């Protein structure tokens, strides 16, 4: 199916924010990297762009009579602008501990955004995918447990392939890892906005549109590739500057794999907060298991192959029943809400 005129306008606005802004900010990121600065704030701020693109698209294309969660949308957009300003300031104000400042700033702005969200009417939140219970009535916590099981299963597979099962066994037997899981479960609620920032853009808005155009499976796969390429400035100047092309390949493999499972979970539940939590667990557990280091890796082609193999635990979900159904959620048809069901051909 083709996109209608409203959808085309929304995609254009979304793309200008979600995809163009990282490239423009990538210039500042590159300058900061070559100045020897800590550039981690750029990675965190970039996560806000997809949701900001969705919100701006809806604010600019919906009629005045349409009830939007304007307080939350505007608050989130203000949050994004403030964080962009902080990232730009970090290029030159090197005396500031931006890693610490970023954490406090994000916690404060997350609380600010959540208060604004609670001020929105329940039916308005539900209409725009912001309801805490999702839209499908599924038990979202089951998908969190499934993801964590697969995540640690992937860790075991990686340990077997790389001959590091002793290290993996030590991790799984460590009481600290389970304490960290409890800590992260609480921490999500005060640091959720960046993860929501990506998922509201990718899964809530862009995935259904791509599925409408390319089919249920094709839309998820196209999104995985675009999501991977979206990280390009970070691959070059943050994650793996010395082997950035391999980092891009690894990123695409990871984003396709996670995109399949996240897409599956969202299609089953309609719960964007649950998917945001999955994204949070993935990122923060990776940081915990790597000792806090997520940048400066020197990669080999074997790393890409291993990533493909271990991520099969997520890739296999592309063959699940949900991707064979004839109906999928799609955003804004003329006069319909963003979660309306349409036929996918």
């Amino acid at each position: 199916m083709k996109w209608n005129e409203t959808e085309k306008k929304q995609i254009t606005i979304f793309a200008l924010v979600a995809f163009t802004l990282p490239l423009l900010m990538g210039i500042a990121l590159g300058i900061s990297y070559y100045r020897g600065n800590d550039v981690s704030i750029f990675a965190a701020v970039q996560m806000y762009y997809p949701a900001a693109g969705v919100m701006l698209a809806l604010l600019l294309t919906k009629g005045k009579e349409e009830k939007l969660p304007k307080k939350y949308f505007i608050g989130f957009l203000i949050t994004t602008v403030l964080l962009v300003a902080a990232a730009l300031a970090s290029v030159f104000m090197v005396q500031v501990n931006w890693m610490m400042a970023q954490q406090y700033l994000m916690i404060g702005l997350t609380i600010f955004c959540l208060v604004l969200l609670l001020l929105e009417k329940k039916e308005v939140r539900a209409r725009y995918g912001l309801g805490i219970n999702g839209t499908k009535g599924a038990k979202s916590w089951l998908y969190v447990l499934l993801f964590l099981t697969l995540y640690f299963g992937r860790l075991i597979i990686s340990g077997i392939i790389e001959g590091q099962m002793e290290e993996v066994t030590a991790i799984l037997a460590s009481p600290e890892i389970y304490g960290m899981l409890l800590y992260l479960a609480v921490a999500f609620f005060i640091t959720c906005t960046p993860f929501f920032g990506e998922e509201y853009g990718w899964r809530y808005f862009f995935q259904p549109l791509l599925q409408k155009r390319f089919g249920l499976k094709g839309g998820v796969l196209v999104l995985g590739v675009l999501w991977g390429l979206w990280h390009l400035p970070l691959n070059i100047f943050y994650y793996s500057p010395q082997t950035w092309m391999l980092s891009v390949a690894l990123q695409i493999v990871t984003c396709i794999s996670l995109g399949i499972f996240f897409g599956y979970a969202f299609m089953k539940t309609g719960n964007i907060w649950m998917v945001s939590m999955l994204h949070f667990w993935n990122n923060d557990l990776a940081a915990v298991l790597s000792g806090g280091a997520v940048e400066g890796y020197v990669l080999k082609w074997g790393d890409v192959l291993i990533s493909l193999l271990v991520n099969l635990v997520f890739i296999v979900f592309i063959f699940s029943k949900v991707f064979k159904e004839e109906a999928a959620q799609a955003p804004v048809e003329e006069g319909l809400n963003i979660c309306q069901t349409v036929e996918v051909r």
Side-chain angles (χ1 to χ4, degrees):
M1 285 179 76
K2 294 182 178 180
W3 296 316
N4 62 38
E5 291 304 313
T6 300
E7 291 167 343
K8 289 177 182 178
K9 290 178 183 177
Q10 291 172 343
I11 289 172
T12 300
I13 297 169
F14 170 75
L16 285 173
V17 177
F19 289 99
T20 304
L21 197 52
L23 296 177
L24 294 176
M25 289 294 288
I27 298 172
L29 169 60
I31 293 171
S32 192
Y33 169 75
Y34 284 114
R35 286 169 64 93
N37 300 339
D38 173 19
V39 296
S40 58
I41 189 172
F42 284 89
V45 174
Q46 185 165 320
M47 299 175 75
Y48 286 77
Y49 303 159
V54 176
M55 294 172 183
L56 194 60
L58 293 175
L59 287 169
L60 294 177
T61 60
K62 300 294 284 185
K64 292 183 179 180
E65 70 284 355
E66 182 70 35
K67 291 184 178 179
L68 292 164
K70 288 185 179 180
K71 290 187 285 290
Y72 180 65
F73 279 8
I74 292 172
F76 192 94
L77 289 171
I78 290 172
T79 293
T80 304
V81 170
L82 290 174
L83 289 169
V84 166
L88 293 174
S90 74
V91 178
F92 305 102
M93 298 174 62
V94 295
Q95 70 276 14
V96 177
N97 183 342
W98 286 104
M99 181 176 290
M100 186 66 68
Q102 157 201 320
Q103 292 297 322
Y104 287 124
L105 188 59
M106 283 188 177
I107 290 172
L109 290 172
T110 293
I111 295 171
F112 166 69
C113 286
L114 291 179
V115 169
L116 292 178
L117 180 63
L118 292 174
L119 292 175
E120 301 288 358
K121 292 182 178 180
K122 185 177 180 180
E123 60 271 20
V124 175
R125 295 200 303 264
R127 181 175 176 82
Y128 287 91
L130 300 170
I132 195 170
N133 295 320
T135 60
K136 298 294 185 67
K139 295 180 178 178
S140 298
W141 60 271
L142 292 175
Y143 295 89
V144 176
L145 292 178
L146 175 59
F147 176 76
L148 290 174
T149 300
L150 295 172
Y151 189 96
F152 285 104
R154 185 178 65 169
L155 180 65
I156 292 171
I157 294 171
S158 176
I160 293 172
I161 293 174
E162 299 185 73
Q164 297 178 346
M165 273 307 296
E166 287 188 12
E167 292 86 342
V168 171
T169 301
I171 290 172
L172 296 178
S174 170
E176 286 79 8
I177 191 67
Y178 300 103
M180 184 57 66
L181 287 174
L182 291 174
Y183 166 76
L184 291 177
V186 175
F188 171 74
F189 296 99
I190 58 171
T191 58
C192 62
T193 46
F195 305 96
F196 168 85
E198 283 203 47
E199 293 308 315
Y200 198 64
W202 303 138
R203 245 56 63 183
Y204 176 72
F205 177 80
F206 208 27
Q207 175 178 305
L209 277 171
L210 291 175
Q211 288 181 314
K212 180 181 179 182
R213 183 68 180 84
F214 300 106
L216 297 181
K217 292 180 181 178
V220 169
L221 295 175
V222 170
L223 175 56
V225 174
L226 293 175
W227 184 23
L229 292 173
W230 173 81
H231 291 85
L232 181 63
L234 300 175
N235 295 127
I236 296 174
F237 299 118
Y238 182 55
Y239 295 137
S240 183
Q242 295 182 54
T243 52
W244 66 266
M245 286 191 289
L246 287 177
S247 181
V248 171
L250 183 66
Q251 194 81 59
I252 291 173
V253 168
T254 301
C255 287
I256 289 175
S257 307
L258 289 175
I260 289 170
F261 186 81
F262 290 175
Y264 162 81
F266 181 66
M267 291 171 71
K268 293 287 285 186
T269 66
N271 191 333
I272 203 62
W273 295 106
M274 178 273 295
V275 182
S276 299
M277 182 174 283
L278 300 186
H279 196 148
F280 167 81
W281 282 110
N282 179 75
N283 287 28
D284 281 51
L285 280 174
V288 169
L289 295 175
S290 64
V294 295
E295 77 278 2
Y297 285 110
V298 177
L299 301 169
K300 305 181 293 296
W301 277 112
D303 297 318
V304 179
L305 178 59
I306 290 172
S307 176
L308 179 61
L309 292 174
V310 300
N311 277 304
L312 286 174
V313 298
F314 296 129
I315 294 172
V316 294
F317 281 86
I318 196 70
F319 303 108
S320 63
K321 184 180 178 181
V322 72
F323 288 111
K324 297 178 182 178
E325 297 171 358
E326 289 298 315
Q329 291 180 329
V332 182
E333 293 278 348
E334 301 283 2
L336 300 179
N337 81 54
I338 201 165
C339 288
Q340 201 75 26
T341 298
V342 298
E343 186 181 0
V344 176
R345 295 184 177 87

